[in-house]
Amino acid sequence: MPWAALDRADHLRHDPVALGALWAQSRVLLLDADGQALADAQRMPSTPRGEQLSEGPGGVGAATFLGLDPEGEAWFSLEAALTAFDAPQRIDLRSAATLWPAFPASVFAQARAVQHWRNRHRFCGVCGSPVAMQRGGWLGVCGGCGIEHYPRTDPAVIVAVGDGDRILLGRQSSWPERRWSVIAGFVEPGESLEQAVAREVAEETSLRVRSCHYLASQPWPFPSALMLGFIAQAEPDEPRVTEELEEARWFTVEEIRAAQARDDAAMDDGGPLLSPPISIARWLIEQWLARACATASSSGVR
């Protein structure tokens, strides 16, 4: 899963003088309290220069240094309420992921994830004292006990489960009507990724995974997950759902192709819908489909 990304430039985070020098000509992504980005009238990113906002990145780590783009231009993120700058639109991350080019969308994802962590770690979880941000906004230091706090990422497995001819998809009651997707869940303490795959599939569908292997990952800052994509083989039994899923069932190659065509044509004929194209869930479904078609073609040649 290729993603456009900034050079995080970790060596600059500990150098407030260098960050201050970059600020004036940097691009700044402004986020409101709900994590939405300020955007222009066309809902494209509104990224003022640092000099349009203030004389510097701010005291006590107000701005977060995100990194350098391929041209060497610095990028920061900042709470919009800390400035007098405004823009006509606000856009959430899911919408931006479908509307914006890959690079600014990835910057937004990074900024949103760090904002979520910072907003929930204003006070130390050990002693309750206020936490001050350092290293360009990537380190919180407790003013009481001195313990250091770093941004966290929650690993989650997401898996396309097949039985040789079909793929297993499930749906939650909170999803849009007729939406189906692959199985996913968070990795638990002391658990390997392979164990997490087998456990999640068993917990949600009562099916036994025979084998699995890793394919790719996708950062998923809703609010702070890293989705680790697998493909797996399971016993061809009928799934039995628990409270986590409303329904789960096997889909054939023909059904997945029809769902793809339905999505590509924006056609609403009442049939099943797949995960959005921006998600690793959809990519995993397409990987399974490509492999299933290749296997069928190979078998036909023989």
Side-chain angles (χ1 to χ4, degrees), residues 117-133 140-145 147 149:
W117 167 73
R118 289 181 55 156
N119 287 346
R120 283 156 180 76
H121 289 80
R122 300 181 188 275
F123 297 92
C124 179
V126 177
C127 72
S129 299
V131 170
M133 292 296 162
V141 179
C142 175
C145 65
I147 193 172
H149 300 269

Side-chain angles (χ1 to χ4, degrees), residues 28-105:
V28 184
L29 186 67
L30 297 171
L31 305 182
D32 66 16
D34 296 323
Q36 298 185 105
L38 272 61
D40 63 22
Q42 287 71 46
R43 305 189 76 197
M44 290 292 105
S46 179
T47 54
R49 298 285 183 185
E51 62 186 0
Q52 296 176 256
L53 304 175
S54 67
E55 295 181 356
V60 199
T64 297
F65 172 63
L66 301 176
L68 305 174
D69 66 21
E71 284 71 46
E73 190 170 61
W75 284 72
F76 290 81
S77 63
L78 185 64
E79 293 271 357
L82 298 178
T83 77
F85 187 89
D86 201 5
Q89 295 282 337
R90 303 289 187 275
I91 186 169
D92 65 90
L93 182 53
R94 290 180 187 271
S95 299
T98 62
L99 294 174
W100 292 5
F103 180 78

Side-chain angles (χ1 to χ4, degrees), residues 171-177 243-247:
R171 60 167 281 104
Q172 297 181 9
S173 59
S174 60
W175 290 354
E177 186 179 359
E243 68 276 2
E244 295 190 48
L245 293 178
E246 178 182 67
E247 188 178 357

Side-chain angles (χ1 to χ4, degrees), residues 291-302:
R291 292 168 185 235
C293 291
T295 299
S297 176
S298 176
S299 299
V301 171
R302 292 174 186 169

Side-chain angles (χ1 to χ4, degrees), residues 1 154-161 167-169 172 175 180-187 193-194 196-201 204 212-220 225-232 275-276 278-285:
M1 293 291 290
D154 301 316
V157 293
I158 182 166
V159 53
V161 179
I167 185 173
L168 176 70
L169 300 181
Q172 297 181 9
W175 290 354
W180 294 81
S181 189
V182 294
I183 306 302
F186 287 103
V187 181
L193 299 180
E194 293 80 4
V197 166
R199 176 183 54 77
E200 283 292 339
V201 173
E204 296 187 15
C212 69
H213 65 269
Y214 170 80
L215 292 186
S217 64
Q218 181 183 36
W220 197 248
L226 175 63
M227 307 303 294
L228 303 161
F230 283 78
I231 195 162
S275 308
I278 66 167
S279 66
I280 191 173
R282 177 63 171 269
W283 183 82
L284 286 170
I285 292 171

Side-chain angles (χ1 to χ4, degrees), residues 159-169 201 207-211 231-239 249-253 288 292 295:
V159 53
V161 179
D163 71 348
D165 300 309
R166 303 172 297 175
I167 185 173
L168 176 70
L169 300 181
V201 173
L207 294 179
R208 184 168 67 88
V209 168
R210 295 182 296 180
S211 64
I231 195 162
Q233 290 293 316
E235 300 293 345
D237 302 324
E238 284 306 305
R249 71 176 182 89
W250 294 104
F251 284 75
T252 65
V253 166
W288 173 86
T295 299

